[in-house]
Amino acid sequence: MKDKRPLYVTGELELKSPLFSSDWSLRQHDAELASIRRRHYTSVVDITHGGRIVIEPYAQGTVRAINGASEVARITRESWLGRRWEVTGPGFTYDLASQARPRHWRLFLANGPVSDLEGGFGSYNKVKIFNQMAVPLSAVLLAWHVVARPWEAVAEPQVFMPAP
């Protein structure tokens, strides 16, 4: 029987991608936690110690994380401009909000900050994540997904596919 408990991460993490690449790496202390492949508005996350999460747009303003056939988390746009999001999953609810500084975002739990996301100087090809407490990996990945490519996260998947 597979372990269904979510994977939690804490401390400093880094998501990196070479410029114009679809390949990403989630690292902590020079160890790779996951490799990510962005493809056609979805992200496929291969976790180093086993498991795969697929992140995909689900409905207008909603993106979900799927492990196998079950949804493990979702993020829903809460503001018209996409500056506030709600991240939910079994046993957790976080709020993701942009900060006054460009390319800075913060995850909140009960109005208290738990995680900071900082994009690179001119792009989001490098995102540093500072977790003050343990946060589900799926919540971190969903936050990164909507921050790094927001135009994909706000539309339904059918909008981006050619009509048959």
Side-chain angles (χ1 to χ4, degrees), residues 4-157:
K4 296 288 184 179
R5 290 178 294 177
L7 177 62
Y8 284 81
V9 291
T10 188
E12 189 173 328
L13 305 168
E14 185 175 66
L15 277 151
K16 283 180 77 171
S17 171
L19 199 57
F20 304 117
S21 175
S22 296
D23 296 322
W24 288 75
S25 177
L26 174 63
R27 304 186 72 78
Q28 183 175 41
H29 307 299
D30 296 326
E32 185 175 71
L33 299 179
S35 63
I36 305 164
R37 178 84 172 157
R38 304 237 15 184
R39 193 185 292 276
H40 302 293
Y41 313 105
T42 64
S43 296
V44 177
V45 182
D46 289 313
I47 300 167
T48 303
H49 298 294
R52 173 175 276 183
I53 296 174
V54 176
I55 300 171
E56 65 181 12
Y58 179 64
Q60 190 70 30
T62 301
V63 177
R64 65 183 181 169
I66 301 168
N67 184 352
S70 60
E71 182 178 304
V72 293
R74 71 172 43 201
I75 188 166
T76 306
R77 186 178 57 185
E78 295 287 308
S79 70
W80 185 74
L81 292 175
R83 309 291 285 170
R84 284 189 329 271
W85 298 78
E86 181 183 58
V87 187
T88 58
F92 66 85
T93 299
Y94 295 96
D95 293 311
L96 174 68
S98 67
Q99 301 300 294
R101 294 182 297 171
R103 292 183 176 61
H104 284 72
W105 292 76
R106 185 170 278 166
L107 272 175
F108 293 91
L109 177 65
N111 294 327
V114 295
S115 187
D116 290 312
L117 290 86
E118 297 179 2
F121 177 70
S123 74
Y124 280 108
N125 282 51
K126 182 177 181 179
V127 177
K128 289 189 177 185
I129 302 162
F130 305 95
N131 294 315
Q132 299 171 20
M133 60 184 284
V135 177
L137 177 61
S138 57
V140 170
L141 291 170
L142 284 169
W144 160 77
H145 187 88
V146 301
V147 165
R149 308 264 296 265
W151 58 91
E152 296 174 3
V154 298
E156 293 182 67

